[in-house]
Amino acid sequence: LVDLFDWALSMAAGTTRWTDSKPADWSDGSKMFFDSLKRFDDYLASDKELAEPVEKLFQGPVADSLNHIGQINFLRRVFDAPIRGENYFKAEIEVGRVGSDQSAKRVEFD
């Protein structure tokens, strides 16, 4: 996921490049993920021009990341450690809050 968001940022900035990051433990990997996501989010929120259409960025690396997140959720279910479903339509979402400091409020499906 870190590599996907770094790739997305490089495309947005017009310097398309792929980097294979080294595997990290959960703590370091989580920090790397949130840092990468924040860099991408900050770029999208800035006045900087996008070198690629935003639709392509979401069609490519962002959609790919969602696919991988789905795979992780599937594997958690297989190993009896499912993640509870959440209704993101009702979620407490704030622009720019892309780090690990997410709202503790959870709304499951009714």
Side-chain angles (χ1 to χ4, degrees):
L1 293 172
V2 172
D3 298 340
L4 283 170
F5 284 104
D6 286 347
W7 181 49
L9 175 59
S10 74
M11 286 190 289
T15 59
T16 302
R17 73 184 178 305
W18 177 267
T19 304
D20 286 321
S21 58
K22 296 190 185 305
D25 65 30
W26 184 259
S27 178
D28 290 342
S30 293
K31 182 177 180 343
M32 289 169 52
F33 167 72
F34 286 117
D35 289 347
S36 179
L37 184 60
K38 178 154 179 39
R39 286 190 302 271
F40 181 57
D41 185 65
D42 287 347
Y43 192 92
L44 292 179
S46 75
D47 292 334
K48 296 176 184 171
E49 192 167 328
L50 293 176
E52 297 291 342
V54 71
E55 295 86 358
K56 288 292 211 178
L57 296 172
F58 279 79
Q59 174 183 323
V62 174
D64 197 11
S65 73
L66 296 174
N67 181 54
H68 290 302
I69 291 166
Q71 291 169 330
I72 292 166
N73 286 335
F74 172 79
L75 289 171
R76 286 184 59 117
R77 285 185 186 146
V78 167
F79 290 97
D80 292 324
I83 295 172
R84 290 177 22 199
E86 184 174 349
N87 185 339
Y88 294 115
F89 184 78
K90 294 181 178 180
E92 191 175 286
I93 296 173
E94 290 181 29
V95 172
R97 183 168 49 179
V98 295
S100 61
D101 61 333
Q102 298 298 308
S103 171
K105 180 182 175 190
R106 298 288 182 257
V107 180
E108 291 189 43
F109 290 94
D110 301 11

